[in-house]
């Protein structure tokens, strides 16, 4: 039997959550995928998966086996990509995982042009603020803010994005404007909770070269930046948004920027920006198609965000 084919079908079934998902990934029929897994189970003499009409789960033996062989399949895919992409036009699957807001506001408008440049690539974009596992989820490259970086990953800074404190005209009329970061303790603050570890994303400032975090009173908490923007629009309080989320609301007048230069009377501080990184698991994952995507991002992002 083709043991490697059976292993690939098994790994893709675990990662995709179904035989159908594995079949799409491997490029064969669901029946053939199921048969390959059955042959693998027969060869090993153990059941790896528990299958019903509605669900698929790994057995205890299946969990142990997956942990041993998933990396093998992933490394073979990287090796195949490294060889084929250098010999011909970039092709195959490119899985990008990104923070939800960056996916929605930045990547979605940019990726179609990248796809036109490399039409043989099959691009999958996963939008989430949780921590993604590059190996188990077959992610080629992830876009993360500095606060979401993991030890051991290879990270390339691709953008430094201004952040803006803002509130609706209705909230400002009701509660007034804060004059200094210390005033935020007296305001309703709409804060973002990092899904990866449950921490709040701190509201940072830099004054005289020293960084400090403003003390805030969290009136409403969310793990979705766009939800915080909608809460601010409804008069819920003050929030901090990346420029790519805030700018349209500021132009329309639905939100008003706070801590602008003409109102800074009690302090001389700058608002800490958000640094965005393109991350891979290790240097072997820097395949030609991943490098092409990173280079395209640096080229396509607004000039004022560029680093280096």
């Amino acid at each position: 039997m083709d043991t490697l084919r059976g292993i690939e079908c098994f790994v893709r079934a675990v990662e995709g959550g179904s035989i159908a998902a594995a079949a799409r990934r491997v490029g064969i029929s669901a029946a053939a995928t199921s048969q390959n897994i059955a042959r693998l189970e027969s060869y090993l003499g153990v059941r790896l998966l528990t299958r019903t009409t509605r669900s698929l789960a790994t057995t205890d033996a299946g969990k142990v086996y997956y942990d041993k062989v998933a990396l093998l399949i992933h490394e073979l895919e990287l090796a195949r990509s490294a060889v084929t992409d250098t010999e011909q036009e970039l092709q195959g699957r490119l899985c990008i995982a990104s923070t939800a807001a960056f996916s929605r506001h930045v990547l979605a408008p940019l990726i179609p042009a990248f796809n036109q440049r490399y039409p043989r690539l099959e691009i999958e974009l996963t939008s989430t603020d949780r921590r993604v596992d590059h190996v188990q989820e077959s992610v080629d490259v992830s876009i993360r803010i500095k606060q979401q970086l993991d030890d051991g990953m290879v990270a390339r800074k691709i953008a430094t994005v201004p952040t803006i404190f803002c509130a609706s005209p209705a909230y400002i009329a009701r509660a007034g404007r804060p004059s200094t970061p210390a005033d935020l303790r007296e305001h309703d603050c709409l804060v973002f909770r990092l899904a990866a570890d449950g921490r709040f994303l701190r509201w940072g400032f830099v004054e005289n070269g020293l960084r400090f975090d403003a003390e805030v009173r969290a009136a409403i908490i969310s793990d979705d930046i766009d939800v915080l923007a909608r809460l601010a629009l409804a008069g819920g309080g003050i929030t901090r948004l990346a420029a790519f989320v805030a700018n349209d609301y500021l132009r329309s007048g639905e939100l008003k920027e706070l801590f602008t230069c003409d109102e800074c009377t009690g302090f001389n501080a700058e608002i800490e920006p958000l640094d965005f990184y393109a991350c891979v698991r290790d240097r072997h994952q820097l395949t030609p198609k991943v490098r092409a995507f990173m280079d395209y991002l640096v080229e396509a992002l607004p000039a004022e965000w560029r680093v280096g």
Side-chain angles (χ1 to χ4, degrees):
M1 65 163 286
D2 186 350
T3 306
L4 188 58
R5 190 63 154 173
I7 293 172
E8 183 182 18
C9 290
F10 165 68
V11 169
R12 298 312 182 196
V14 174
E15 292 173 345
S18 69
I19 298 297
R24 289 192 296 270
R25 184 69 188 280
V26 177
I28 59 178
S29 70
T33 301
S34 183
Q35 289 168 5
N36 284 335
I37 295 172
R39 291 191 192 102
L40 177 64
E41 290 176 322
S42 177
Y43 170 76
L44 294 172
V46 296
R47 181 169 291 280
L48 301 173
L49 297 174
T50 300
R51 303 186 280 281
T52 69
T53 56
R54 294 189 178 182
S55 66
L56 178 149
T58 52
T59 63
D60 289 342
K63 290 180 180 133
V64 172
Y65 194 67
Y66 174 83
D67 289 340
K68 298 293 185 183
V69 299
L71 185 59
L72 167 66
I73 295 300
H74 188 69
E75 293 294 340
L76 286 172
E77 184 174 289
L78 290 177
R80 181 170 59 246
S81 176
V83 172
T84 58
D85 289 348
T86 55
E87 295 296 323
Q88 55 191 323
E89 181 182 1
L90 298 183
Q91 60 182 308
R93 177 176 176 270
L94 176 65
C95 182
I96 305 158
S98 172
T99 61
F102 197 83
S103 288
R104 189 174 296 122
H105 297 277
V106 180
L107 292 184
L110 295 181
I111 283 179
F114 178 73
N115 196 214
Q116 290 170 22
R117 184 179 297 185
Y118 302 106
R120 298 184 67 184
L121 282 178
E122 175 192 334
I123 299 171
E124 180 176 343
L125 177 59
T126 298
S127 302
T128 179
D129 289 306
R130 64 172 173 79
R131 180 177 282 116
V132 296
D133 187 308
H134 278 223
V135 175
Q136 293 196 7
E137 299 179 61
S138 298
V139 171
D140 295 295
V141 57
S142 59
I143 309 298
R144 310 181 184 204
I145 60 174
K146 183 177 181 179
Q147 292 83 349
Q148 295 171 319
L149 295 180
D150 290 334
D151 292 339
M153 299 204 77
V154 177
R156 173 184 175 184
K157 187 190 287 189
I158 57 169
T160 295
V161 180
T163 55
I164 297 168
F165 287 90
C166 48
S168 70
Y171 177 82
I172 293 171
R174 171 169 60 86
R177 286 174 174 264
S179 297
T180 71
D183 294 339
L184 291 170
R185 289 175 296 188
E186 308 303 323
H187 280 269
D188 295 334
C189 296
L190 315 175
V191 300
F192 179 76
R193 187 188 295 279
L194 292 162
D197 56 19
R199 292 177 299 147
F200 292 158
L201 186 59
R202 297 180 182 276
W203 289 7
F205 292 83
V206 178
E207 186 172 18
N208 298 324
L210 299 176
R211 184 193 176 281
F212 68 93
D213 294 319
E215 183 180 341
V216 302
R217 184 175 66 82
I220 306 177
I221 303 160
S222 177
D223 62 354
D224 188 312
I225 290 293
D226 284 293
V227 167
L228 293 175
R230 301 302 300 182
L231 289 164
L233 289 170
I238 295 171
T239 194
R240 188 185 76 154
L241 304 174
F244 53 75
V245 179
N247 282 342
D248 284 346
Y249 298 125
L250 296 176
R251 281 192 287 266
S252 69
E254 294 173 278
L255 292 178
K256 296 295 183 182
E257 185 174 358
L258 305 175
F259 302 121
T260 56
C261 290
D262 58 355
E263 65 184 35
C264 296
T265 57
F267 75 112
N268 182 30
E270 296 179 355
I271 299 169
E272 185 180 45
L274 284 175
D275 290 330
F276 285 83
Y277 293 79
C279 305
V280 294
R281 180 174 54 83
D282 54 45
R283 296 198 178 277
H284 296 298
Q285 207 176 19
L286 284 168
T287 60
K289 58 189 173 185
V290 169
R291 290 183 184 276
F293 177 69
M294 288 183 176
D295 291 342
Y296 170 77
L297 269 190
V298 172
E299 164 197 326
L301 290 173
E304 60 269 25
W305 297 359
R306 293 177 190 167
V307 295

